[in-house]
Amino acid sequence: MPIRLTNSLTKTREDFVPLDPANVRMYVCGPTVYDFAHIGNARPAIVFDVLFRLLRHEFGEGHVTYVRNITDVDDKINARAAEIAAQTGVAVEQARSDLTATTERQYIEDVTALGCLPPSVSPRATQHIGEMIGLIEKLVANGHAYAAPSSNGEGAHVLFDVQSDDDYGKLSRRSLDEMMAGARVEVAPYKKGAMDFVLWKPSDAGTPGWDSPWGRGRPGWHIECSAMAGKYLGDTFDIHGGGIDLQFPHHENEIAQSECAHHKPYVKTWLHNGFLQVEGEKMSKSLGNFFTIRELLADWPGEVLRFNMLRTHYRQPIDFTFAGLRESWKMLERWYAVTEPLANPSPDAAFFDALRDDLNTPAAIAALHQASPDALAGGLGFLGFSNVQMKIAAKAEVDTVAIADAIAARNAARKAKDFAESDRIRDEWLAKGIVFKDTPQGTTWEVKK
RNA sequence: GGCCACGUGGCGGAGUGGUGACGCAGCGGACUGCAAAUCCGCGUACCCCGGUUCAAUUCCGGGCGUGGCCUCCA
């Protein structure tokens, strides 16, 4: 059975046939490194990590290239760095490089805790300015982009001429007329067309900039992905993933830039994960339901967060809830109790068939419920779960010596048929979140969640 | 306002033009001093209104609700 994927470009579920089975190529939009990643950012990281694992399984570990970029040039970064510089007195350049380096490191730590494998390549935008300029020059030369001098005469904006691209709108399925009709933004005076977007913009003295044919400036948002994807994956590659909110304008513009520059199809299969809500509401700081991965990891094992995410199909909207997290924890704990002693884990056919069917992780999890212990352990391992982290989290900050003493005292009471005392000890520890279990092999305990 | 997605049992969540996926919770039973854990058993759900059809939760149209994009937020 081939892998089938729902292609946003065609809106149909298609058999996935790689352009080159010896080098299957996937690009996923990574983080802009100015602050901790939130739980919504975790979704594409986890979803496309599972796809990466599946592709490696199908085509061989050495035959898949997965690129996830780091956006380290951005006006949000500049704004945050300026704030930090003002508060701490450090130079703004230093604040900026510290901010991006620190945030990138935190992101890697977070997604690693969520069980994600490192991508094959994690390119940084600032290290590919030359490639971006090259791409922009190409677009200017072939008439798809134009330079508009800035009002103060220093440097120029370079804009992509949307009218020059007959295919513009093919991903998000909207015509230019529709976009114009719905537009609520004032059009910058230097634009020829209202929907034209920035490839390059001038930088003033306090803003990071690079020398270019259009003066000192910095890249627009979309060009970095086209440049880096092209460099590491070629003019045409297999899969491009990201959140549904990036479909327009970001991915639409990537297509426009790359296809007008190279006159070749950019991406064969576009994949978009659905949006995340928290407790039935939009996640926002003002509603007080905004959670970073970092703060959730303080209370929940990364595996629980990961499993919780995979219980919903990647294209569906997901409602992130703490009740769901507790349920996920419970399911994993039960499974780990069964799989722990096994030596020959191997996923079964039902499990793989579910994953091949448009990465249907809820169906794969259902298959796991019906699986033999070996197939269960294999499936869990395949999805990136191992119980080590759970055990650490579950038994952290627990006084195991005191628990052992309590168990001994309780068993002495039980032997003497002093059940009032034995139940008192059990209830005392239950109140502390420790559950005692009497088994034929003796009394064990675990943390209640 | 324009475009788009989603709406399944108490909860989560697949899927399908015609036989109740699966999980959590709950209930009954076994086990236990009593529990917990485990095992066995138990559930006629598909937002509303039309239409197509022998048959619709599944297809089509409209409505309502939630959310996304159109404002460099995955």
Side-chain angles (χ1 to χ4, degrees), chain A residues 76 182 184-185 201 221 243 245-246 248 276 282 311 313 330-331 334 360 369-370 423 426 438:
Chain A
K76 284 199 297 294
R184 295 188 308 194
V185 228
K201 51 188 166 186
W221 175 35
D245 57 322
L246 289 183
F248 188 89
L276 175 140
K282 179 185 173 121
R311 287 171 60 199
H313 184 93
K330 189 177 297 183
M331 287 164 71
R334 284 184 184 176
N360 194 333
H369 283 294
Q370 316 304 315
D423 289 351
R426 186 173 63 199
D438 300 326

Coordinates of all heavy atoms in Angstrom, one line a residue, chain A residues 76 182 184-185 201 221 243 245-246 248 276 282 311 313 330-331 334 360 369-370 423 426 438, chain B residues 1 4-5 12-15 21-25 33-36 38 68-74:
Chain A
K76 N 9.7 41.4 14.1 CA 9.3 41.1 15.5 C 10.6 40.9 16.3 O 10.6 41.2 17.5 CB 8.4 39.9 15.6 CG 7.0 40.1 15.2 CD 6.0 39.1 15.6 CE 6.3 37.7 15.1 NZ 6.1 37.6 13.6
G182 N -11.8 41.8 -0.8 CA -11.8 41.6 0.6 C -10.7 42.4 1.3 O -10.7 42.4 2.6
R184 N -8.6 44.9 3.4 CA -9.0 45.9 4.3 C -7.8 46.7 4.7 O -7.8 47.5 5.6 CB -9.5 45.2 5.6 CG -10.8 44.4 5.4 CD -11.3 44.0 6.7 NE -10.3 43.2 7.5 CZ -10.6 42.5 8.5 NH1 -11.9 42.4 8.9 NH2 -9.7 41.9 9.2
V185 N -6.7 46.5 3.9 CA -5.5 47.2 4.2 C -5.3 48.4 3.3 O -5.6 48.3 2.1 CB -4.3 46.3 4.1 CG1 -3.4 46.4 5.3 CG2 -4.7 44.9 3.8
K201 N 13.5 45.0 1.5 CA 13.1 46.4 2.0 C 14.3 47.1 2.6 O 15.2 46.4 3.1 CB 11.9 46.3 3.0 CG 12.1 45.3 4.1 CD 10.8 45.2 4.9 CE 10.8 44.1 5.9 NZ 9.5 43.9 6.5
W221 N 9.5 38.6 4.2 CA 9.2 37.4 4.9 C 9.3 36.1 4.0 O 9.9 35.1 4.4 CB 7.8 37.5 5.5 CG 7.4 36.2 6.3 CD1 8.1 35.3 7.0 CD2 6.0 35.7 6.3 NE1 7.4 34.3 7.5 CE2 6.0 34.6 7.1 CE3 4.8 36.2 5.8 CZ2 4.9 33.8 7.4 CZ3 3.7 35.4 6.1 CH2 3.7 34.3 6.9
G243 N 1.5 25.1 8.9 CA 0.1 25.3 9.5 C -0.8 25.9 8.4 O -0.3 26.6 7.5
D245 N -2.7 28.3 8.6 CA -2.7 29.8 8.5 C -1.6 30.3 7.7 O -1.6 31.5 7.3 CB -2.5 30.3 10.0 CG -1.3 29.8 10.6 OD1 -1.0 28.6 10.4 OD2 -0.6 30.5 11.4
L246 N -0.6 29.5 7.3 CA 0.5 30.0 6.4 C 0.1 29.8 5.0 O 0.9 30.3 4.1 CB 1.7 29.2 6.7 CG 2.4 29.5 8.0 CD1 3.7 28.7 8.1 CD2 2.7 31.0 8.2
F248 N -2.1 31.1 3.1 CA -2.1 32.5 2.4 C -1.7 33.5 3.5 O -2.3 33.4 4.6 CB -3.4 32.8 1.8 CG -3.4 34.1 1.0 CD1 -3.1 34.0 -0.3 CD2 -3.6 35.3 1.7 CE1 -3.0 35.2 -1.0 CE2 -3.5 36.5 0.9 CZ -3.2 36.4 -0.4
L276 N -5.1 25.1 16.2 CA -5.3 24.6 17.6 C -6.0 25.6 18.4 O -5.8 26.8 18.3 CB -3.9 24.3 18.2 CG -3.8 24.0 19.7 CD1 -2.7 22.9 19.8 CD2 -3.5 25.1 20.6
K282 N -10.1 30.3 21.2 CA -8.9 30.8 20.6 C -7.8 31.0 21.7 O -8.1 31.6 22.7 CB -9.2 32.1 19.8 CG -8.0 32.6 19.1 CD -8.3 34.0 18.5 CE -7.1 34.6 17.9 NZ -7.2 34.9 16.5
R311 N -3.6 12.2 18.8 CA -4.9 11.6 18.9 C -5.9 12.3 18.0 O -7.0 11.8 17.8 CB -5.4 11.7 20.3 CG -4.7 10.8 21.3 CD -5.0 11.1 22.7 NE -6.5 10.9 22.9 CZ -7.2 11.4 23.9 NH1 -6.5 12.1 24.8 NH2 -8.4 11.2 24.1
H313 N -6.4 13.8 14.0 CA -5.8 13.8 12.6 C -5.2 15.2 12.4 O -5.8 16.2 12.7 CB -6.9 13.5 11.6 CG -6.4 13.4 10.2 ND1 -5.9 12.2 9.7 CD2 -6.1 14.3 9.3 CE1 -5.4 12.4 8.5 NE2 -5.6 13.7 8.2
K330 N -2.9 8.7 31.0 CA -3.5 7.4 31.5 C -3.3 6.3 30.4 O -2.8 5.2 30.8 CB -5.0 7.6 31.8 CG -5.6 6.4 32.5 CD -7.0 6.7 32.9 CE -7.1 7.8 33.8 NZ -8.5 8.0 34.3
M331 N -3.6 6.7 29.2 CA -3.4 5.7 28.1 C -2.0 5.2 28.0 O -1.7 4.0 27.8 CB -4.0 6.2 26.8 CG -5.5 6.3 26.8 SD -6.1 7.3 25.5 CE -5.8 6.3 24.1
R334 N -0.8 3.0 30.8 CA -1.3 1.6 30.7 C -0.5 0.8 29.7 O -0.2 -0.3 29.9 CB -2.8 1.6 30.3 CG -3.7 2.0 31.5 CD -5.2 1.9 31.1 NE -6.0 2.3 32.2 CZ -7.3 2.4 32.1 NH1 -8.0 2.2 31.0 NH2 -8.0 2.9 33.2
N360 N -3.0 8.9 9.2 CA -4.2 8.9 10.1 C -3.7 8.3 11.5 O -3.9 7.2 11.8 CB -5.2 8.0 9.5 CG -6.6 8.1 10.2 OD1 -6.6 8.5 11.4 ND2 -7.6 7.9 9.5
H369 N -4.6 -0.2 20.1 CA -5.4 -0.7 21.1 C -5.8 -2.2 20.9 O -6.1 -3.0 21.8 CB -6.7 0.1 21.2 CG -6.5 1.4 21.9 ND1 -6.2 1.5 23.3 CD2 -6.6 2.6 21.5 CE1 -6.1 2.8 23.6 NE2 -6.4 3.5 22.6
Q370 N -5.8 -2.6 19.6 CA -6.1 -4.0 19.2 C -4.9 -4.8 19.1 O -5.0 -6.0 18.8 CB -6.9 -4.0 17.9 CG -8.0 -2.9 17.8 CD -9.0 -3.0 19.0 OE1 -9.4 -4.1 19.4 NE2 -9.3 -1.8 19.6
D423 N -5.6 0.9 56.0 CA -6.3 1.9 55.2 C -6.0 3.3 55.5 O -5.9 4.1 54.6 CB -7.8 1.7 55.3 CG -8.3 0.3 54.7 OD1 -7.5 -0.3 54.1 OD2 -9.5 0.0 55.0
R426 N -2.8 4.0 53.6 CA -3.1 4.1 52.2 C -3.7 5.4 51.8 O -3.3 6.1 50.9 CB -4.0 2.9 51.7 CG -4.1 2.9 50.2 CD -4.8 1.7 49.7 NE -6.2 1.6 50.2 CZ -6.9 0.5 50.2 NH1 -6.4 -0.6 49.8 NH2 -8.2 0.6 50.7
D438 N -1.8 -3.6 45.5 CA -1.4 -4.9 46.0 C -1.5 -5.9 44.9 O -2.5 -6.1 44.3 CB -2.3 -5.4 47.2 CG -2.3 -4.4 48.3 OD1 -1.2 -3.8 48.6 OD2 -3.4 -4.2 49.0
Chain B
rG1 P -21.4 40.3 7.1 OP1 -22.6 39.7 6.6 OP2 -20.5 39.6 8.0 O5' -20.5 40.9 5.9 C5' -21.0 41.7 5.0 C4' -20.0 42.1 4.0 O4' -18.9 42.8 4.6 C3' -19.3 40.9 3.3 O3' -20.0 40.3 2.2 C2' -17.9 41.5 2.9 O2' -18.1 42.2 1.7 C1' -17.7 42.4 4.1 N9 -16.9 41.7 5.2 C8 -17.3 41.4 6.4 N7 -16.4 40.8 7.1 C5 -15.3 40.7 6.3 C6 -14.1 40.1 6.5 O6 -13.6 39.6 7.6 N1 -13.2 40.2 5.4 C2 -13.6 40.8 4.2 N2 -12.7 40.8 3.3 N3 -14.8 41.3 4.0 C4 -15.6 41.3 5.1
rC4 P -15.0 29.6 -1.1 OP1 -15.0 28.7 -2.2 OP2 -16.3 30.0 -0.5 O5' -14.2 29.0 0.1 C5' -12.9 28.4 -0.1 C4' -12.2 28.0 1.2 O4' -12.2 29.2 2.0 C3' -12.9 27.0 2.0 O3' -12.8 25.7 1.5 C2' -12.2 27.2 3.3 O2' -10.9 26.6 3.3 C1' -12.1 28.7 3.4 N1 -13.2 29.3 4.2 C2 -13.1 29.3 5.6 O2 -12.1 28.7 6.1 N3 -14.0 29.8 6.3 C4 -15.1 30.4 5.8 N4 -16.0 30.9 6.5 C5 -15.2 30.5 4.3 C6 -14.3 29.9 3.6
rA5 P -13.8 24.5 1.9 OP1 -13.5 23.4 1.1 OP2 -15.2 25.1 2.0 O5' -13.4 24.2 3.4 C5' -12.2 23.5 3.7 C4' -11.9 23.4 5.2 O4' -11.9 24.8 5.7 C3' -12.9 22.6 6.0 O3' -12.6 21.3 6.0 C2' -12.6 23.2 7.4 O2' -11.4 22.7 7.9 C1' -12.4 24.7 7.0 N9 -13.6 25.5 7.2 C8 -14.4 26.0 6.2 N7 -15.4 26.7 6.6 C5 -15.3 26.7 8.0 C6 -16.1 27.3 9.0 N6 -17.2 28.0 8.8 N1 -15.7 27.0 10.3 C2 -14.6 26.3 10.5 N3 -13.8 25.7 9.6 C4 -14.2 25.9 8.3
rG12 P -15.6 16.7 23.5 OP1 -15.0 18.1 23.4 OP2 -16.7 16.3 22.7 O5' -14.4 15.7 23.2 C5' -13.1 15.9 23.7 C4' -12.1 14.8 23.3 O4' -12.6 13.6 23.8 C3' -12.0 14.5 21.8 O3' -11.1 15.5 21.2 C2' -11.4 13.2 21.9 O2' -10.0 13.2 22.2 C1' -12.2 12.5 23.0 N9 -13.3 11.7 22.5 C8 -14.6 12.1 22.5 N7 -15.4 11.2 22.0 C5 -14.5 10.2 21.6 C6 -14.8 8.9 20.9 O6 -15.8 8.5 20.6 N1 -13.6 8.2 20.7 C2 -12.3 8.7 21.1 N2 -11.3 7.9 20.8 N3 -12.1 9.8 21.7 C4 -13.2 10.5 21.9
rG13 P -11.3 15.8 19.6 OP1 -10.2 16.6 19.2 OP2 -12.7 16.3 19.5 O5' -11.3 14.4 18.9 C5' -10.0 13.6 18.9 C4' -10.3 12.3 18.2 O4' -11.2 11.5 19.0 C3' -10.9 12.4 16.8 O3' -9.9 12.7 15.9 C2' -11.6 11.1 16.7 O2' -10.6 10.1 16.3 C1' -12.1 10.8 18.1 N9 -13.4 11.3 18.3 C8 -13.8 12.5 18.7 N7 -15.1 12.7 18.8 C5 -15.6 11.5 18.4 C6 -17.0 11.0 18.3 O6 -18.0 11.6 18.6 N1 -17.0 9.7 17.9 C2 -15.9 8.9 17.5 N2 -16.2 7.7 17.1 N3 -14.7 9.3 17.6 C4 -14.6 10.6 18.1
rA14 P -10.3 12.9 14.3 OP1 -9.2 13.7 13.7 OP2 -11.6 13.4 14.2 O5' -10.1 11.4 13.8 C5' -10.7 11.0 12.6 C4' -10.6 9.5 12.5 O4' -11.2 8.9 13.6 C3' -11.2 9.0 11.3 O3' -10.4 9.0 10.1 C2' -11.5 7.5 11.7 O2' -10.3 6.7 11.6 C1' -11.8 7.7 13.2 N9 -13.3 7.9 13.4 C8 -13.9 9.0 13.9 N7 -15.2 8.8 14.0 C5 -15.4 7.5 13.6 C6 -16.6 6.8 13.5 N6 -17.8 7.2 13.8 N1 -16.5 5.5 13.0 C2 -15.3 5.1 12.7 N3 -14.1 5.7 12.7 C4 -14.2 6.9 13.2
rG15 P -10.9 9.7 8.8 OP1 -9.8 9.7 7.8 OP2 -11.7 10.9 9.1 O5' -12.0 8.6 8.3 C5' -11.6 7.2 8.2 C4' -12.8 6.3 8.2 O4' -13.5 6.4 9.5 C3' -13.9 6.8 7.2 O3' -13.5 6.3 5.9 C2' -15.1 6.1 7.8 O2' -15.2 4.7 7.5 C1' -14.9 6.3 9.3 N9 -15.5 7.6 9.8 C8 -14.9 8.8 9.9 N7 -15.6 9.7 10.4 C5 -16.9 9.1 10.6 C6 -18.1 9.5 11.1 O6 -18.3 10.7 11.6 N1 -19.1 8.6 11.2 C2 -18.9 7.3 10.7 N2 -19.9 6.5 10.8 N3 -17.7 6.8 10.2 C4 -16.8 7.7 10.2
rA21 P -19.6 1.5 15.3 OP1 -19.7 1.6 16.8 OP2 -20.1 2.6 14.5 O5' -18.0 1.3 15.0 C5' -17.3 0.6 15.9 C4' -15.9 0.3 15.3 O4' -15.6 1.5 14.5 C3' -14.8 0.2 16.3 O3' -14.8 -1.1 16.9 C2' -13.6 0.6 15.5 O2' -13.2 -0.5 14.7 C1' -14.2 1.7 14.6 N9 -14.1 3.1 15.3 C8 -15.0 3.8 15.8 N7 -14.6 5.0 16.3 C5 -13.2 4.9 16.0 C6 -12.2 5.8 16.2 N6 -12.3 7.0 16.8 N1 -10.9 5.5 15.8 C2 -10.8 4.3 15.2 N3 -11.7 3.3 15.0 C4 -12.9 3.7 15.4
rC22 P -14.9 -1.2 18.5 OP1 -14.7 -2.6 18.8 OP2 -16.2 -0.5 18.9 O5' -13.7 -0.4 19.1 C5' -12.4 -0.7 18.6 C4' -11.5 0.4 19.0 O4' -11.8 1.6 18.2 C3' -11.6 1.0 20.4 O3' -10.9 0.1 21.3 C2' -10.9 2.3 20.2 O2' -9.5 2.2 20.1 C1' -11.5 2.8 18.9 N1 -12.8 3.5 19.1 C2 -12.7 4.9 19.5 O2 -11.6 5.4 19.5 N3 -13.9 5.6 19.7 C4 -15.0 5.0 19.6 N4 -16.1 5.7 19.9 C5 -15.1 3.6 19.2 C6 -14.0 2.9 19.0
rG23 P -11.5 0.0 22.8 OP1 -10.8 -1.1 23.5 OP2 -12.9 0.1 22.8 O5' -10.9 1.4 23.5 C5' -9.5 1.7 23.5 C4' -9.3 3.1 23.9 O4' -9.9 3.9 22.9 C3' -9.9 3.5 25.2 O3' -9.0 3.1 26.3 C2' -9.9 5.0 25.0 O2' -8.6 5.6 25.1 C1' -10.4 5.1 23.6 N9 -11.8 5.2 23.4 C8 -12.7 4.3 23.0 N7 -14.0 4.7 23.0 C5 -13.9 6.0 23.5 C6 -14.9 6.9 23.8 O6 -16.2 6.8 23.6 N1 -14.4 8.1 24.3 C2 -13.1 8.3 24.6 N2 -12.8 9.5 25.1 N3 -12.1 7.5 24.3 C4 -12.6 6.3 23.8
rC24 P -9.7 2.9 27.7 OP1 -8.5 2.4 28.6 OP2 -10.9 2.0 27.6 O5' -10.1 4.3 28.2 C5' -9.2 5.3 28.5 C4' -9.9 6.6 28.9 O4' -10.6 7.1 27.8 C3' -10.9 6.4 30.0 O3' -10.3 6.4 31.3 C2' -11.7 7.7 29.8 O2' -11.0 8.8 30.3 C1' -11.8 7.8 28.3 N1 -13.0 7.1 27.8 C2 -14.2 7.9 27.9 O2 -14.2 9.0 28.4 N3 -15.3 7.3 27.5 C4 -15.3 6.1 26.9 N4 -16.5 5.5 26.5 C5 -14.1 5.3 26.8 C6 -13.0 5.9 27.3
rA25 P -11.0 5.5 32.5 OP1 -10.2 5.6 33.7 OP2 -11.4 4.2 31.9 O5' -12.4 6.3 32.7 C5' -12.4 7.6 33.3 C4' -13.8 8.2 33.2 O4' -14.2 8.3 31.9 C3' -14.9 7.4 33.9 O3' -14.9 7.6 35.3 C2' -16.1 8.0 33.2 O2' -16.4 9.3 33.8 C1' -15.6 8.2 31.8 N9 -15.9 7.0 31.0 C8 -15.1 5.9 30.6 N7 -15.6 5.0 30.0 C5 -17.0 5.4 29.9 C6 -18.1 4.8 29.3 N6 -18.1 3.7 28.7 N1 -19.3 5.5 29.5 C2 -19.3 6.6 30.1 N3 -18.3 7.3 30.7 C4 -17.1 6.6 30.6
rG33 P -7.7 -11.1 50.4 OP1 -6.6 -11.2 51.2 OP2 -8.4 -12.4 49.9 O5' -8.9 -10.3 51.1 C5' -9.8 -10.9 52.0 C4' -10.4 -9.9 52.9 O4' -9.4 -9.3 53.8 C3' -11.0 -8.7 52.2 O3' -12.3 -9.0 51.7 C2' -11.0 -7.6 53.3 O2' -12.1 -7.8 54.2 C1' -9.7 -8.0 54.1 N9 -8.6 -7.1 53.7 C8 -7.4 -7.5 53.1 N7 -6.6 -6.6 52.9 C5 -7.2 -5.5 53.4 C6 -6.8 -4.1 53.4 O6 -5.7 -3.6 53.1 N1 -7.8 -3.3 54.0 C2 -9.0 -3.7 54.4 N2 -9.8 -2.8 54.9 N3 -9.4 -5.0 54.4 C4 -8.5 -5.8 53.9
rC34 P -12.7 -8.5 50.2 OP1 -14.1 -9.0 50.0 OP2 -11.6 -8.9 49.3 O5' -12.7 -6.9 50.3 C5' -13.7 -6.3 51.1 C4' -13.5 -4.8 51.2 O4' -12.2 -4.6 51.9 C3' -13.2 -4.1 49.9 O3' -14.5 -3.8 49.2 C2' -12.5 -2.8 50.3 O2' -13.4 -1.9 50.9 C1' -11.6 -3.4 51.5 N1 -10.2 -3.7 51.0 C2 -9.3 -2.6 50.9 O2 -9.7 -1.5 51.2 N3 -8.1 -2.9 50.5 C4 -7.7 -4.1 50.1 N4 -6.5 -4.3 49.7 C5 -8.6 -5.2 50.2 C6 -9.9 -5.0 50.6
rA35 P -14.4 -3.5 47.7 OP1 -15.8 -3.0 47.3 OP2 -13.8 -4.7 47.0 O5' -13.5 -2.3 47.6 C5' -12.7 -2.0 46.4 C4' -11.7 -1.0 46.8 O4' -10.8 -1.4 47.7 C3' -10.8 -0.5 45.6 O3' -11.5 0.5 44.8 C2' -9.6 0.0 46.3 O2' -9.8 1.3 46.8 C1' -9.5 -1.0 47.4 N9 -8.6 -2.1 47.1 C8 -9.0 -3.4 47.0 N7 -8.0 -4.2 46.7 C5 -6.9 -3.4 46.6 C6 -5.5 -3.6 46.3 N6 -5.0 -4.8 46.1 N1 -4.7 -2.5 46.3 C2 -5.2 -1.3 46.6 N3 -6.5 -1.0 46.9 C4 -7.3 -2.0 46.9
rA36 P -11.5 0.3 43.2 OP1 -12.3 1.4 42.7 OP2 -11.8 -1.1 42.8 O5' -9.9 0.6 42.9 C5' -9.4 1.9 43.1 C4' -7.9 1.8 42.9 O4' -7.3 0.9 43.9 C3' -7.5 1.3 41.5 O3' -7.5 2.2 40.5 C2' -6.1 0.7 41.9 O2' -5.1 1.8 41.9 C1' -6.3 0.2 43.3 N9 -6.7 -1.2 43.3 C8 -7.9 -1.8 43.5 N7 -7.9 -3.1 43.4 C5 -6.6 -3.4 43.1 C6 -6.0 -4.7 42.9 N6 -6.7 -5.8 43.0 N1 -4.7 -4.7 42.7 C2 -4.0 -3.5 42.6 N3 -4.5 -2.3 42.8 C4 -5.8 -2.3 43.0
rU38 P -5.7 -0.9 34.5 OP1 -5.1 -0.4 33.3 OP2 -7.1 -0.4 34.8 O5' -5.8 -2.5 34.4 C5' -4.6 -3.2 34.1 C4' -4.8 -4.7 34.3 O4' -5.2 -5.0 35.7 C3' -6.0 -5.2 33.5 O3' -5.7 -5.5 32.1 C2' -6.3 -6.5 34.3 O2' -5.4 -7.5 34.0 C1' -6.1 -6.0 35.7 N1 -7.3 -5.5 36.3 C2 -8.3 -6.4 36.8 O2 -8.1 -7.6 36.8 N3 -9.4 -5.9 37.4 C4 -9.7 -4.6 37.5 O4 -10.8 -4.2 38.0 C5 -8.7 -3.7 36.9 C6 -7.6 -4.1 36.4
rG68 P -9.6 32.0 15.1 OP1 -8.5 32.4 15.9 OP2 -10.7 33.0 14.9 O5' -9.1 31.6 13.6 C5' -8.1 30.6 13.6 C4' -7.8 30.3 12.1 O4' -8.9 29.8 11.5 C3' -7.4 31.5 11.3 O3' -6.1 32.0 11.5 C2' -7.7 31.0 9.9 O2' -6.7 30.2 9.5 C1' -9.0 30.2 10.1 N9 -10.2 31.0 9.9 C8 -11.0 31.5 10.8 N7 -12.0 32.2 10.3 C5 -11.8 32.1 9.0 C6 -12.6 32.7 7.9 O6 -13.6 33.3 7.9 N1 -12.0 32.4 6.6 C2 -10.8 31.6 6.5 N2 -10.4 31.5 5.2 N3 -10.1 31.1 7.5 C4 -10.7 31.4 8.7
rC69 P -5.7 33.4 11.3 OP1 -4.3 33.6 11.8 OP2 -6.8 34.3 11.9 O5' -5.7 33.7 9.7 C5' -4.9 32.9 8.9 C4' -5.2 33.2 7.5 O4' -6.5 32.7 7.2 C3' -5.3 34.7 7.1 O3' -4.0 35.3 6.9 C2' -6.1 34.6 5.8 O2' -5.4 34.1 4.7 C1' -7.1 33.6 6.2 N1 -8.3 34.2 6.8 C2 -9.3 34.7 6.0 O2 -9.1 34.7 4.8 N3 -10.4 35.3 6.5 C4 -10.6 35.3 7.8 N4 -11.7 35.9 8.3 C5 -9.6 34.7 8.7 C6 -8.5 34.2 8.2
rC70 P -3.8 36.8 7.2 OP1 -2.4 37.1 6.9 OP2 -4.4 37.1 8.5 O5' -4.7 37.5 6.1 C5' -4.4 37.4 4.7 C4' -5.4 38.0 3.9 O4' -6.7 37.5 4.2 C3' -5.6 39.5 4.2 O3' -4.6 40.3 3.5 C2' -7.0 39.7 3.5 O2' -6.9 39.8 2.1 C1' -7.7 38.4 3.9 N1 -8.5 38.6 5.1 C2 -9.8 39.1 4.9 O2 -10.2 39.4 3.8 N3 -10.6 39.3 6.0 C4 -10.2 39.0 7.2 N4 -11.0 39.1 8.3 C5 -8.9 38.4 7.4 C6 -8.1 38.3 6.4
rU71 P -4.2 41.8 3.8 OP1 -5.5 42.5 3.9 OP2 -3.3 42.0 2.8 O5' -3.5 42.1 5.2 C5' -2.8 41.2 5.9 C4' -2.4 41.9 7.2 O4' -3.6 42.4 7.8 C3' -1.7 41.0 8.2 O3' -0.3 41.1 8.0 C2' -2.2 41.5 9.5 O2' -1.2 42.2 10.2 C1' -3.3 42.5 9.2 N1 -4.5 42.3 9.9 C2 -4.6 42.9 11.2 O2 -3.7 43.5 11.6 N3 -5.7 42.7 11.9 C4 -6.8 42.0 11.4 O4 -7.8 41.9 12.2 C5 -6.7 41.4 10.2 C6 -5.6 41.6 9.5
rC72 P 0.8 41.3 7.6 OP1 1.4 42.4 8.3 OP2 1.2 40.9 6.3 O5' 0.8 39.9 8.4 C5' 1.6 39.7 9.5 C4' 2.7 38.8 9.2 O4' 3.4 39.3 8.1 C3' 3.7 38.8 10.3 O3' 3.3 37.7 11.1 C2' 5.0 38.5 9.6 O2' 5.3 37.1 9.6 C1' 4.8 38.9 8.2 N1 5.6 40.1 7.8 C2 6.9 40.0 7.4 O2 7.4 38.8 7.4 N3 7.6 41.0 7.0 C4 7.0 42.2 7.0 N4 7.7 43.3 6.6 C5 5.7 42.4 7.4 C6 5.0 41.4 7.8
rC73 P 3.7 37.5 12.6 OP1 2.8 38.3 13.4 OP2 5.1 37.6 12.7 O5' 3.3 35.9 12.7 C5' 3.9 35.1 13.8 C4' 2.7 34.4 14.4 O4' 1.5 35.1 14.2 C3' 2.4 33.0 13.9 O3' 3.3 32.1 14.5 C2' 1.0 32.8 14.3 O2' 1.0 32.3 15.6 C1' 0.5 34.2 14.4 N1 -0.6 34.5 13.4 C2 -1.9 34.7 13.8 O2 -2.1 34.7 15.0 N3 -2.8 34.9 12.8 C4 -2.5 34.9 11.6 N4 -3.5 35.1 10.7 C5 -1.2 34.7 11.1 C6 -0.2 34.4 12.0
rA74 P 4.5 31.4 13.7 OP1 5.5 31.1 14.6 OP2 4.8 32.3 12.6 O5' 3.8 30.1 13.1 C5' 4.6 29.1 12.6 C4' 3.7 28.0 12.1 O4' 3.2 27.3 13.2 C3' 2.5 28.6 11.4 O3' 2.8 28.8 10.0 C2' 1.5 27.5 11.6 O2' 1.6 26.5 10.7 C1' 1.8 27.0 13.0 N9 1.0 27.6 14.0 C8 1.3 28.7 14.7 N7 0.4 29.0 15.6 C5 -0.5 28.0 15.5 C6 -1.7 27.7 16.2 N6 -2.2 28.5 17.1 N1 -2.4 26.6 15.9 C2 -1.8 25.8 14.9 N3 -0.7 25.9 14.2 C4 -0.1 27.1 14.6

